[in-house]
Amino acid sequence: MNYPVIVDVTLRHGIADPEGATIERALPALGFTGVTNMRAGKSFRMDIDAESESAALEKAAALAQRLLSNPVIENASARSGAKG
Amino acid sequence: MNYPVIVDVTLRHGIADPEGATIERALPALGFTGVTNMRAGKSFRMDIDAESESAALEKAAALAQRLLSNPVIENASARSGAKG
Amino acid sequence: MKIGVVVFPGSNCEYDALNAVQSLGVEAEFIWHTNTDVEGFDGVILPGGFAHGDYLRPGAIARFSPVMEAVARFASSGGAVLGICNGFQVLTEAGLLPGALQKNAGLTFLCQPTTLVVESTASVLTRGATKGQELVVPINHFSGAYTCDDATLASLEANDQIVLRYTQNPNGSRDDIAGVRNVEGNVVGLMPHPERAMSTLLGSADGRVLLEGFVRAPVGAH
Amino acid sequence: MTQAPEPLHRALGLNDEELEQIVAVLNREPNPLELALYGVMWSEHCSYKSSRIHLRRLPSDGAHVLVGPGENAGVIDAGDGIAVAIRIESHNHPSAIEPYQGAATGVGGILRDVFTMGARPLALMDPLFFGELDDARQRWLVEGVVAGISGYGNSVGVPTVGGELTFDECYASNPLVNVLCCGALPRERLVLGVASGVGNLAVLLGSSTGRDGIGGVSVLASAGFSGEDGAESLDDAKRPSVQVGDPYEEKRLIEACLELLDRGLVLGIQDLGGAGLICATCETAARGGVGMDVDITAVPLREAGMQPYEIMTSESQERMLAIIKPQNWDDVARLCAKWEVRASIVGHVVEPSIDAHGNAVGMLRVRRGFDGEILGEVPARSLADEAPLYDRPRLRPSSLDAMRLDEPTSEELRGLANEQLLELLIDPAWVYRQYDSQLFLNTVVGPGRDASLLRLAGPGLPASNRGIALSTDSNPRWCALDPRVGTALSVAESIANLACVGASPKALVNCLNFGNPEHPEVMWQLSESIDGMAEACRAFEVPVVGGNVSLYNESGGNDIDPTPVVGLLGVVDSLLAPPPGWNWTSGDAVMLVGVRHAGGANPFPLAGTRWATQRGRRGGTIAPFEPRALKETFAFVAREISVICAGAPSDVTAVHDVGSGGLATALAEMASETGLGAQVLELESHAELFAEFPGRFVMTTNDVEGFIARAARAGVAVEMVGTVGGTALAIGSSIDLDVTQLSARRRHALADALHTAL
Ligand SMILES: Nc1ncnc2c1ncn2[C@@H]1O[C@H](COP(=O)(O)OP(=O)(O)O)[C@@H](O)[C@H]1O
Ligand SMILES: [Mg+2]
């Protein structure tokens, strides 16, 4: 079976995020106030061939660790990409 | 009140995704098979000051449209970032 | 004749653009991005660089700078506007030019000479060149792959809006597109850097024909 | 059995004698915060305690030297009212952990060293050393480091114009990432980081402060220093984190600082590098002979709950300290606001205290509020300048004699020269094409040639037709066999590279990458290498204006080969036309310029060559260093080329020095760049194809007699060895290669080894 999966990659706590900070600084000028703690991250959607959804998620988690994220500065997690 | 919100930005259907394609090509060499349709996207987490969660999500959706995505090539949507 | 070079925080080719224009004997001045008008200028250049660090997307934050409203007004009244590299990205983000620029197909920054073909001379940038002319001009970018949907491409073709193409596509740009213009031809954007090809001492003087065209008396001014 | 907890000073990297010395300085026990300050400031990285006594042997004088070693960057007078600043540094260990950010923050740091002097950074170089690429981790390191330099350098808007790329198994777990920056300023604007004038303010500019790179001090987090129970775990929030570079912040910081200097609003600026705020404040105070009060509550923080020692020692990037007069504060704040650079008053310059002997002693006081509690108080100079200096034991490695006798010979490999040559050809373009090498419209010769050559021009500089040339060089294999001679030859090699673009050397900076200084063999290597550098710099009359020492480059107890990297700055007096480069023309005569044979017993030494190393032969005796003939050859070549740069006609059409890979490689590189072959006469021996020793150049000319006559007048040996033309590179009976094939092989070698697309 083929399962849609999403891997989310976010910066680890305490790691500086210049991109998020720069976006946040730009917001007031655009009329957006009250937005704080902006953090930029990445996501990857893919279809995974596996026995079950949980097997697909496991595979995605391994992929996330090995290739899609840099564990020194990022956290990664996998979730189902099926429309809820 | 302050609500955690996540904005997901993905490439529009039909727009080429060299990053996703490159990752997909690299997978078999790393021992990952059966992964297809890899698409790279972005996500932004933030805290939004609003009356209600739905107001926060509305604000985030506007932000997503106006700044966080480029509608020429990307789609964007907002969701609650609270731990489910 | 006076050319304005817009400076956003993070721009880094502003001096190069200024020097290139001045080397053609034309007056040029910086315009700080918080300015709300571009009055007194006969042409405006958005230079290369990394405005706002290229964070989010190249040009995404810069296009909201106050000066961009002025640039849009200037453009709609027929003023000559040129976006080079990051400036091109800003113009597409601002909707002043069609399409978008994505990461290079190879996912690395590229600094190398490219050969361009002039596809249309109906623009403020290429009016001094001849159709089919080949020019050696360097590229220096990470996000230079020109992207648009099929309908946009068809209309670009139909309206002769593709101004420059690469002879050997370096970055995965759709249809080898290196530069485009708006329908009227007074707004042009390109990824290669003509201001870096102004003298054989630096490798090529082929950019001169482009910038000389740009700094010529404005369209419809005579 | 529970182990006794390690005493705090040792956990902070201070030994018992150092603690005693601190107690003597303070006349009391230091408190934990004070101990932490000494821990970082007296670390090897900040204090050079193992190398300083040796570095003093390097010559640093010259009539044109404006600022020598010891400042943030060396500065020379380049003429026409322009001063040029140059500096090199390593970022080896951070790059091994997180290659992208490690390399990126290395670039950021070296830029700050240069604009601290008031100079606008105009060029970067990046000597890189990795293990062999058949290992996936090395490929990951290479891609990450190159992407990091590209990502930061391009965005901050300073061209990266050259570097080096070396692969050797000794760097497998300890890659070296060195970065050099060169900048220029109007001569009269030179500023030094001095905090003079009681009542003046220390203003922190740039990023907020987080827990980034709190190196050795991180042990405090688990040492119960914060007053909590010592069992506090190193959870995610407390773990010292990787420094993340923000080139956008740095770009604004550069522009803001240069504008502050232009407008005369600052008395001095100092970058925050290793050891962060403590280093910047104590160094500026020590230089000015004054005291400084630092208010930790005035430092903008990125994270909650940071301890005073964390605030004082954090290595958060993109920060500078400016010393200003109080009446200028409003203007400074306004200017910083324009560039969106944060500015906060964090320090006050105060009167020095008078000690028991009646001497004025500038005290650095860390306070909670300028009128608040004093958390720590130490003499600024004791932190900045009075770290203990060590003359560590040195020992010539016992294995050296046997190694030197193990001479590689070419005998058994005759007949395979074609393939051997192809194996040596690597075009580093895959690396440098990721770097913007053209910013500022100055780059006449960019990366990929012998040396880089730039117009000496930039925003705010007086007009000039001069050019500056830059080259970085090292040869760890030579240095492993003979650190003294190997280093001297590396300096010579660097001068040869400059000569190829018509430049004569004006100043040298060095980055001494060595192993563990507690190994006597490493200290011997370091000391020998410094002597070799000193000897070469004296012989060639090149002052050493700065340097950096990176020790403890080891892994699993194995030290890297000694890797002294030299960065050389040269000047071309008139740069109106590009130098000829490698592009030879059909019909030209190929001339071998310089002494054809190495001095000493072996005319074509293969020891330490790339050819020998590639075949696992790491022994032998390298060529001796004989400066007299080298000097004449370098001067001749530099003159021949500088004439062309000045716009005069010349019969010389191409030039390339014979460097790593030897004569065959130099010829192959010229053929490959031009797409044109050459017929070269039989060489004296197979070894001549690949032997390495500086002092030889390949030049082509369309007037053989004229060229030979000029060389004869200069007393320089030249021989015509072949003719350019055809589709093959043929060298006697040993090499015959199709140029198209050779070029393709060279162009793809690196991308193929990295398993990536070109
Ligand atoms: N890491 C790098 N970054 C930029 N340029 C590089 C790098 N490595 C090598 N180069 C460039 O490639 C050319 C060849 O380098 P190298 O083989 O070390 O030269 P040489 O042996 O003549 O000193 C030089 O111009 C150098 O600047
Ligand atoms: Mg060389």
Side-chain angles (χ1 to χ4, degrees):
Chain A
M1 268 283 287
N2 222 294
Y3 300 90
V5 175
I6 299 174
V7 169
D8 296 300
V9 178
T10 55
L11 276 177
R12 276 178 45 185
H13 183 83
I15 298 285
D17 178 11
E19 176 154 23
T22 303
I23 297 170
E24 187 173 321
R25 269 204 312 276
L27 293 179
L30 300 182
F32 289 96
T33 53
V35 181
T36 51
N37 297 322
M38 174 75 75
R39 304 278 282 175
K42 289 182 276 189
S43 66
F44 300 90
R45 330 199 139 217
M46 67 209 82
D47 294 330
I48 297 190
D49 224 23
E51 302 273 286
S52 63
E53 173 148 74
S54 68
L57 287 174
E58 220 166 90
K59 202 160 159 182
L63 184 58
Q65 280 304 313
R66 263 211 62 209
L67 182 68
L68 300 179
S69 73
N70 176 354
V72 178
I73 56 172
E74 291 169 332
N75 292 318
S77 60
R79 63 190 158 100
S80 163
K83 291 265 150 73
Chain B
M1 267 281 286
N2 223 294
Y3 299 91
V5 175
I6 299 174
V7 168
D8 296 300
V9 176
T10 54
L11 275 177
R12 272 178 43 190
H13 186 80
I15 298 289
D17 177 13
E19 190 161 2
T22 303
I23 295 171
E24 192 172 318
R25 268 200 312 277
L27 293 180
L30 296 176
F32 290 97
T33 54
V35 181
T36 51
N37 298 322
M38 174 76 74
R39 303 277 283 173
K42 290 182 270 190
S43 66
F44 302 91
R45 327 195 144 220
M46 68 209 81
D47 294 329
I48 297 189
D49 223 24
E51 302 273 286
S52 64
E53 173 147 73
S54 69
L57 286 173
E58 220 167 274
K59 202 161 161 182
L63 183 57
Q65 279 307 312
R66 183 104 195 277
L67 177 70
L68 298 179
S69 72
N70 177 354
V72 174
I73 52 170
E74 292 168 331
N75 293 318
S77 60
R79 61 188 159 102
S80 161
K83 291 265 152 74
Chain C
M1 191 71 203
K2 190 161 85 177
I3 301 293
V5 176
V6 174
V7 185
F8 301 100
S11 293
N12 64 29
C13 299
E14 71 272 28
Y15 285 101
D16 299 359
L18 192 86
N19 289 340
V21 168
Q22 287 170 344
S23 76
L24 297 173
V26 172
E27 202 186 328
E29 258 176 40
F30 289 137
I31 305 173
W32 186 242
H33 74 120
T34 53
N35 281 17
T36 50
D37 73 63
V38 295
E39 240 155 80
F41 292 99
D42 303 292
V44 171
I45 296 179
L46 309 188
F50 290 70
H52 296 271
D54 269 8
Y55 289 133
L56 189 52
R57 295 178 308 279
I61 299 176
R63 75 108 156 167
F64 290 107
S65 276
V67 76
M68 287 309 294
E69 274 176 41
V71 170
R73 278 197 309 274
F74 182 71
S76 68
S77 66
V81 177
L82 170 62
I84 301 170
C85 196
N86 195 226
F88 185 17
Q89 294 161 339
V90 176
L91 290 175
T92 59
E93 282 283 341
L96 292 174
L97 286 174
L101 292 139
Q102 279 184 292
K103 284 182 190 166
N104 296 340
L107 304 179
T108 62
F109 189 97
L110 290 175
C111 170
Q112 62 188 54
T114 60
T115 304
L116 308 175
V117 184
V118 177
E119 298 286 347
S120 165
T121 55
S123 83
V124 288
L125 184 68
T126 49
R127 56 190 167 189
T130 49
K131 201 171 151 114
Q133 187 174 357
E134 292 202 350
L135 304 170
V136 175
V137 180
I139 54 166
N140 294 269
H141 58 240
F142 196 109
S143 297
Y146 186 79
T147 309
C148 62
D149 58 24
D150 297 345
T152 307
L153 184 64
S155 81
L156 288 176
E157 295 270 14
N159 298 322
D160 189 31
Q161 281 176 261
I162 299 167
V163 169
L164 296 160
R165 279 202 169 88
Y166 302 106
T167 57
Q168 283 184 301
N169 194 334
N171 56 17
S173 284
R174 187 148 194 204
D175 226 35
D176 304 330
I177 291 174
V180 299
R181 64 172 174 90
N182 64 353
V183 173
E184 295 75 19
N186 64 315
V187 179
V188 189
L190 79 169
M191 287 313 295
H193 285 263
E195 84 281 16
R196 295 186 182 195
M198 299 293 285
S199 120
T200 51
L201 181 61
L202 302 180
S204 168
D206 289 359
R208 295 185 78 97
V209 67
L210 299 177
L211 292 185
E212 271 165 2
F214 183 75
V215 303
R216 228 164 62 183
V219 222
H222 40 189
Chain D
M1 238 181 77
T2 54
Q3 245 177 328
E6 189 179 22
L8 183 56
H9 69 275
R10 281 202 217 140
L12 290 167
L14 296 162
N15 64 31
D16 297 350
E17 293 74 47
E18 288 167 345
L19 176 62
E20 275 171 32
Q21 197 176 328
I22 294 165
V23 172
V25 167
L26 299 180
N27 224 342
R28 61 177 166 81
E29 289 288 328
N31 69 29
L33 169 65
E34 292 163 343
L35 207 50
L37 302 184
Y38 281 102
V40 283
M41 288 306 297
W42 287 13
S43 68
E44 188 65 58
H45 179 73
C46 290
S47 72
Y48 291 79
K49 58 188 169 189
S50 301
S51 58
R52 201 181 281 199
I53 62 158
H54 300 290
L55 293 172
R56 288 176 185 153
R57 298 199 295 274
L58 293 169
S60 57
D61 295 335
H64 59 290
V65 175
L66 301 176
V67 178
E71 278 287 341
N72 295 290
V75 184
I76 63 151
D77 186 344
D80 296 336
I82 302 175
V84 173
I86 186 166
R87 163 92 171 167
I88 188 169
E89 248 192 11
S90 65
H91 229 220
N92 304 340
H93 293 139
S95 303
I97 296 167
E98 213 304 286
Y100 185 101
Q101 295 298 344
T105 52
V107 172
I110 197 71
L111 290 169
R112 289 191 292 279
D113 279 325
V114 165
F115 71 84
T116 293
M117 309 301 292
R120 175 175 285 277
L122 292 175
L124 291 161
M125 312 264 281
D126 67 333
L128 308 176
F129 303 76
F130 301 98
E132 301 286 355
L133 292 180
D134 48 16
D135 166 28
R137 186 179 153 78
Q138 298 305 314
R139 298 196 292 271
W140 173 76
L141 285 170
V142 173
E143 296 201 353
V145 164
V146 171
I149 290 165
S150 160
Y152 201 101
N154 298 345
S155 173
V156 80
V158 180
T160 302
V161 301
E164 269 198 292
L165 191 57
T166 302
F167 302 104
D168 191 292
E169 64 203 37
C170 76
Y171 307 110
S173 23
N174 199 310
L176 304 182
V177 175
N178 292 180
V179 274
L180 174 148
C181 180
C182 179
L185 65 156
R187 228 201 102 144
E188 71 278 359
R189 202 181 63 192
L190 190 59
V191 283
L192 301 177
V194 178
S196 47
V198 170
N200 287 337
L201 306 175
V203 180
L204 183 61
L205 305 173
S207 279
S208 52
T209 299
R211 287 195 176 92
D212 320 60
I214 298 176
V217 190
S218 61
V219 291
L220 288 170
S222 54
F225 167 44
S226 53
E228 281 126 34
D229 64 6
E232 192 181 279
S233 72
L234 268 178
D235 61 294
D236 227 27
K238 273 276 167 107
R239 194 186 318 221
S241 45
V242 172
Q243 304 162 28
V244 171
D246 181 359
Y248 175 51
E249 180 79 42
E250 180 107 335
K251 170 69 177 165
R252 287 178 285 122
L253 200 52
I254 292 175
E255 299 303 333
C257 286
L258 292 179
E259 197 174 331
L260 285 170
L261 288 163
D262 266 343
R263 299 232 236 125
L265 291 172
V266 293
L267 301 164
I269 50 174
Q270 167 78 39
D271 65 303
L272 275 73
L277 191 55
I278 182 60
C279 184
T281 51
C282 78
E283 283 187 1
T284 46
R287 284 199 196 106
V290 290
M292 174 126 25
D293 280 6
V294 179
D295 174 9
I296 52 153
T297 67
V299 177
L301 302 179
R302 206 178 65 227
E303 291 174 62
M306 284 182 69
Q307 300 294 322
Y309 76 88
E310 293 178 307
I311 297 170
M312 292 305 293
T313 63
S314 157
E315 295 188 355
S316 284
Q317 298 288 302
E318 290 93 23
R319 297 178 302 161
M320 299 288 282
L321 191 73
I323 306 298
I324 71 166
K325 291 193 178 135
Q327 62 267 33
N328 286 332
W329 166 244
D330 288 343
D331 287 341
V332 169
R334 214 172 0 252
L335 192 153
C336 289
K338 171 190 156 191
W339 285 106
E340 300 174 28
V341 165
R342 195 194 307 254
S344 324
I345 298 170
V346 300
H348 288 167
V349 177
V350 297
E351 297 277 6
S353 314
I354 304 301
D355 72 5
H357 309 289
N359 300 320
V361 180
M363 299 299 283
L364 186 96
R365 279 196 296 248
V366 180
R367 316 185 67 149
R368 204 184 288 286
F370 283 118
D371 300 318
E373 180 192 356
I374 294 175
L375 304 169
E377 176 170 26
V378 301
R381 186 161 288 159
S382 73
L383 282 177
D385 302 325
E386 287 162 9
L389 298 185
Y390 295 123
D391 186 0
R392 294 191 188 274
R394 296 183 298 261
L395 184 68
R396 185 176 186 277
S398 54
S399 58
L400 208 53
D401 290 323
M403 256 171 86
R404 286 189 186 164
L405 287 175
D406 181 23
E407 196 71 47
T409 69
S410 60
E411 289 313 311
E412 71 268 30
L413 292 156
R414 253 182 218 290
L416 303 173
N418 279 334
E419 188 52 33
Q420 292 169 8
L421 174 55
L422 290 174
E423 280 170 15
L424 291 179
L425 300 179
I426 292 189
D427 182 353
W430 181 88
V431 173
Y432 64 70
R433 135 195 117 142
Q434 298 188 42
Y435 305 153
D436 188 334
S437 55
Q438 302 175 315
L439 281 150
F440 299 122
L441 309 183
N442 286 340
T443 311
V444 175
V445 179
R449 293 295 178 269
D450 296 311
S452 304
L453 180 62
L454 286 83
R455 295 165 62 234
L456 180 50
L461 294 182
S464 169
N465 282 330
R466 281 174 212 270
I468 51 172
L470 293 165
S471 178
T472 56
D473 290 275
S474 66
N475 193 321
R477 284 314 307 161
W478 285 349
C479 292
L481 294 170
D482 190 334
R484 179 188 290 245
V485 173
T487 304
L489 293 180
S490 303
V491 174
E493 169 83 38
S494 210
I495 298 176
N497 283 324
L498 288 197
C500 290
V501 297
S504 23
K506 288 284 186 271
L508 183 146
V509 291
N510 65 74
C511 193
L512 303 174
N513 304 277
F514 283 75
N516 184 338
E518 293 153 36
H519 298 164
E521 292 83 2
V522 169
M523 273 318 293
W524 178 83
Q525 290 172 332
L526 179 64
S527 168
E528 285 288 296
S529 174
I530 287 171
D531 284 336
M533 189 177 296
E535 185 184 344
C537 288
R538 281 211 179 81
F540 297 118
E541 295 163 75
V542 185
V544 177
V545 298
N548 175 246
V549 181
S550 169
L551 301 177
Y552 297 98
N553 292 293
E554 58 176 341
S555 51
N558 290 325
D559 296 300
I560 60 163
D561 281 347
T563 312
V565 175
V566 300
L568 204 56
L569 167 69
V571 172
V572 174
D573 287 336
S574 173
L575 178 53
L576 302 171
W582 296 357
N583 280 38
W584 56 22
T585 313
S586 200
D588 288 348
V590 180
M591 312 297 293
L592 183 57
V593 178
V595 179
R596 185 157 178 178
H597 303 145
N602 188 350
F604 301 118
L606 291 169
T609 60
R610 282 200 44 228
W611 177 86
T613 308
Q614 195 127 356
R615 358 207 79 66
R617 309 286 294 271
R618 304 174 76 92
T621 303
I622 64 174
F625 175 61
E626 290 172 350
R628 181 130 19 96
L630 293 178
K631 222 172 151 177
E632 279 163 7
T633 310
F634 295 161
F636 171 70
V637 175
R639 194 166 349 102
E640 286 287 309
I641 304 303
S642 66
V643 166
I644 300 173
C645 292
S650 168
D651 55 274
V652 174
T653 51
V655 59
H656 185 10
D657 84 306
V658 178
S660 76
L663 181 56
T665 300
L667 292 165
E669 285 170 345
M670 296 174 88
S672 133
E673 284 294 325
T674 327
L676 261 183
Q679 312 304 307
V680 177
L681 305 176
E682 192 75 75
L683 297 183
E684 288 186 23
S685 83
H686 188 100
E688 189 175 7
L689 290 172
F690 302 115
E692 294 176 14
F693 56 97
R696 296 165 300 158
F697 297 80
V698 175
M699 295 174 81
T700 60
T701 172
N702 51 33
D703 174 11
V704 176
E705 276 171 30
F707 185 77
I708 290 180
R710 291 200 304 279
R713 275 200 298 280
V716 170
V718 296
E719 270 176 77
M720 177 170 160
V721 295
T723 310
V724 179
T727 57
L729 174 67
I731 306 179
S733 55
S734 41
I735 302 279
D736 188 5
L737 286 166
D738 175 62
V739 173
T740 321
Q741 205 188 321
L742 175 158
S743 315
R745 179 82 177 254
R746 172 170 178 267
R747 198 148 38 87
H748 286 99
L750 187 52
D752 287 351
L754 287 166
H755 299 193
T756 171
L758 184 64

